[in-house]
Amino acid sequence: MDLLKLSKNYLNHSYHFDIDKKIYNGLETKMNITFLIGNGFDINIGLKTSYADFYKYLKNQNYEKKENKLIKNIINDYFQKEILGDYEGDIEKIDWSDFEIAIGSYTEKIKTEDDIEEFIKNYEEFIDYFTEYIERNLDVNIQEFLVEENLSNFESSIRFPINTYERDQRNLDEKYSHYKNTVKNLNYIIFNYTEIFDLFHKNWIEHYSQGGINSNSPIHIHGYCQEQILLGVNDESQIDSKLSSNEDLQMMMIKTISNQYALSTRMERTTSVIKESNLIIIYGMSMGESDKYWWEMVLNVLREDFNKSVLIYAYETDQRGLMKHHRRMMSKQKEWKDKLLKYALEEEKENLSRQIFIQFDTLKIFNFSKLNPVVLKELTN
């Protein structure tokens, strides 16, 4: 049995509970909370799924001996030096969104029809290596990880996701105070390629009461390692212009187009969920341009209703320094807000900024014990 092979019924259906729904202003109402979960969630629990980790893995596997020009260029630092810059020599600063944009730029090297065919073959082979690497990372003793302490933390994290600095906490609590006794409708959009979050959600459903909550099955907008995954750019403008109309490259590399061809309705479901959100929690994401489509949609949610908000759990290594120095904290908060606001019009950024909140202590939610990297002898459901 595969480690994270959840039942199709679980993946394709929502969990609904009999809840005593409250009435607000004469109308049945609920609060829609949407979590956008990125690779930072997996990294937080100990999985080696960053771009830097995968890059190091490729370099150690002697893949340069294979006839794959794409992988050879990665290993030989072409992406770091020619496309991404050297990031001050720190590979750890490169995230998956950087790499996806770099893949788009790499298409400038394609000149002929034969080059296109070779690139498609190399790219698909790269995806195979990537998924094999992710699956190796999942070869852990997950049963030891799903202890009561971690499941309890998962529950508190999704029940009470607003856990930030005092002033922001007060503002957000006041903004959503009229939802206090209403149904909490929870949705989860997963941008990483594992089903770890799903496994938590499944076990929480089985072992905890969901009173006052309607919790829907996670949506993997980019697929996951055991099924079709999407790794690429946001739109045609992010690949070489002479190739932007090539149908094969579009289906393979442009995530918004790939999702339109997918058998799953995850694109439509994700769109509906985000548009109906009252509060959006972003966790473990860099908000890079390879997912521009979704960041523009999030901003549109804020644009249409000033009472809606985004809370970003933003990972920074210098948390102590940020807490000690007010100027540094304010500067870094602006920097993170600008990661999202760069997809907005200049004249609306100031107003939208008031609806965006930043929490640098990412352990305020999903503060789990780390995975134990030992081979699992009996795989669990």
Side-chain angles (χ1 to χ4, degrees):
M1 187 183 302
D2 206 2
L3 175 63
L4 294 177
K5 195 70 174 178
L6 305 178
S7 70
K8 293 300 179 184
N9 285 339
Y10 172 70
L11 290 173
N12 295 326
H13 293 83
S14 299
Y15 287 81
H16 299 282
F17 308 93
D18 292 327
I19 302 171
D20 179 19
K21 295 182 178 180
K22 304 297 179 180
I23 304 298
Y24 176 70
N25 285 344
L27 297 173
E28 184 178 281
T29 187
K30 61 184 177 182
M31 182 178 180
N32 293 313
I33 303 174
T34 299
F35 292 78
L36 306 186
I37 303 293
N39 189 46
F41 182 88
D42 287 351
I43 293 172
N44 177 52
I45 62 177
L47 293 179
K48 301 296 184 181
T49 54
S50 70
Y51 172 74
D53 289 321
F54 183 57
Y55 168 78
K56 294 169 187 174
Y57 168 78
L58 285 178
K59 294 205 76 167
N60 290 331
Q61 296 302 308
N62 294 320
Y63 281 145
E64 67 269 16
K65 295 179 181 179
K66 296 183 179 293
E67 296 303 316
N68 186 315
K69 290 182 180 178
L70 175 60
I71 292 177
K72 284 183 177 180
N73 274 289
I74 294 171
I75 293 173
N76 294 327
D77 296 335
Y78 169 80
F79 282 77
Q80 284 82 331
K81 294 175 181 176
E82 302 297 327
I83 298 178
L84 298 171
D86 63 6
Y87 273 81
E88 299 175 349
D90 188 356
I91 187 71
E92 303 292 339
K93 292 183 179 180
I94 300 176
D95 58 43
W96 279 110
S97 182
D98 293 323
F99 175 74
E100 289 174 312
I101 294 298
I103 285 284
S105 298
Y106 178 82
T107 59
E108 295 177 0
K109 296 172 71 71
I110 299 174
K111 305 297 182 185
T112 67
E113 288 295 323
D114 287 342
D115 289 343
I116 293 177
E117 291 182 13
E118 182 180 34
F119 175 77
I120 290 173
K121 178 179 177 294
N122 290 344
Y123 191 78
E124 290 179 343
E125 188 176 47
F126 169 82
I127 296 295
D128 288 338
Y129 291 142
F130 174 65
T131 54
E132 288 171 10
Y133 174 77
I134 295 295
E135 288 171 346
R136 286 191 183 194
N137 264 270
L138 298 179
D139 195 12
V140 295
N141 194 333
I142 206 72
Q143 288 175 323
E144 289 185 4
F145 186 57
L146 290 171
V147 295
E148 182 176 351
E149 178 185 355
N150 283 347
L151 290 176
S152 177
N153 188 281
F154 181 83
E155 179 190 41
S156 63
S157 297
I158 62 176
R159 276 187 177 274
F160 309 106
I162 303 176
N163 199 337
T164 188
Y165 307 111
E166 185 177 355
R167 186 181 299 277
D168 289 346
Q169 185 78 37
R170 184 190 64 188
N171 290 340
L172 285 166
D173 286 345
E174 289 178 355
K175 179 179 283 195
Y176 296 109
S177 61
H178 61 278
Y179 288 110
K180 185 176 182 180
N181 296 315
T182 63
V183 177
K184 303 299 187 297
N185 186 49
L186 304 179
N187 289 284
Y188 319 94
I189 312 301
I190 312 300
F191 286 77
N192 61 38
Y193 300 106
T194 75
E195 295 175 275
I196 293 287
F197 190 95
D198 307 58
L199 192 61
F200 265 108
H201 187 253
K202 177 177 180 287
N203 278 268
W204 171 64
I205 295 279
E206 291 175 350
H207 295 100
Y208 287 79
S209 169
Q210 282 78 48
I213 287 179
N214 175 49
S215 190
N216 299 292
S217 298
I219 302 172
H220 284 259
I221 188 57
H222 295 155
Y224 47 93
C225 62
Q226 292 158 345
E227 291 192 10
Q228 180 189 18
I229 72 167
L230 305 184
L231 182 68
V233 298
N234 182 77
D235 55 58
E236 294 93 330
S237 70
Q238 294 175 352
I239 64 176
D240 186 69
S241 58
K242 68 179 181 295
L243 302 171
S244 61
S245 61
N246 183 285
E247 188 172 344
D248 287 332
L249 288 179
Q250 286 181 344
M251 285 192 292
M252 184 177 71
M253 289 191 64
I254 301 175
K255 291 183 286 189
T256 49
I257 294 177
S258 297
N259 259 323
Q260 292 171 9
Y261 282 95
L263 297 177
S264 168
T265 59
R266 60 196 180 201
M267 184 85 166
E268 295 86 345
R269 287 182 288 142
T270 299
T271 297
S272 176
V273 162
I274 291 178
K275 286 183 176 180
E276 294 174 6
S277 301
N278 301 106
L279 172 65
I280 296 173
I281 307 290
I282 299 175
Y283 184 93
M285 301 195 69
S286 64
M287 294 179 290
E289 292 189 9
S290 63
D291 288 312
K292 177 182 176 182
Y293 179 87
W294 301 111
W295 307 132
E296 290 178 338
M297 187 175 295
V298 167
L299 286 171
N300 202 46
V301 169
L302 302 184
R303 189 180 290 118
E304 292 182 351
D305 189 342
F306 185 74
N307 291 313
K308 296 185 175 184
S309 303
V310 169
L311 173 56
I312 301 171
Y313 284 86
Y315 178 74
E316 288 288 338
T317 55
D318 185 27
Q319 290 187 26
R320 288 188 62 187
L322 294 178
M323 292 303 297
K324 283 170 59 179
H325 303 285
H326 179 71
R327 180 208 60 80
R328 193 182 301 176
M329 168 73 84
M330 294 301 101
S331 176
K332 189 59 73 170
Q333 282 196 334
K334 182 180 184 304
E335 181 180 316
W336 271 89
K337 288 186 179 186
D338 286 345
K339 287 176 183 283
L340 183 56
L341 290 171
K342 72 179 179 181
Y343 306 108
L345 298 174
E346 196 63 38
E347 59 268 25
E348 62 182 358
K349 288 183 178 180
E350 184 176 352
N351 286 333
L352 289 173
S353 177
R354 298 189 182 100
Q355 295 169 259
I356 302 171
F357 300 85
I358 310 295
Q359 165 62 283
F360 291 114
D361 188 353
T362 54
L363 296 182
K364 288 293 185 180
I365 61 173
F366 305 131
N367 185 12
F368 307 131
S369 60
K370 303 302 181 187
L371 282 171
N372 219 352
V374 296
V375 176
L376 183 64
K377 294 181 180 178
E378 285 187 23
L379 299 182
T380 183
N381 287 331

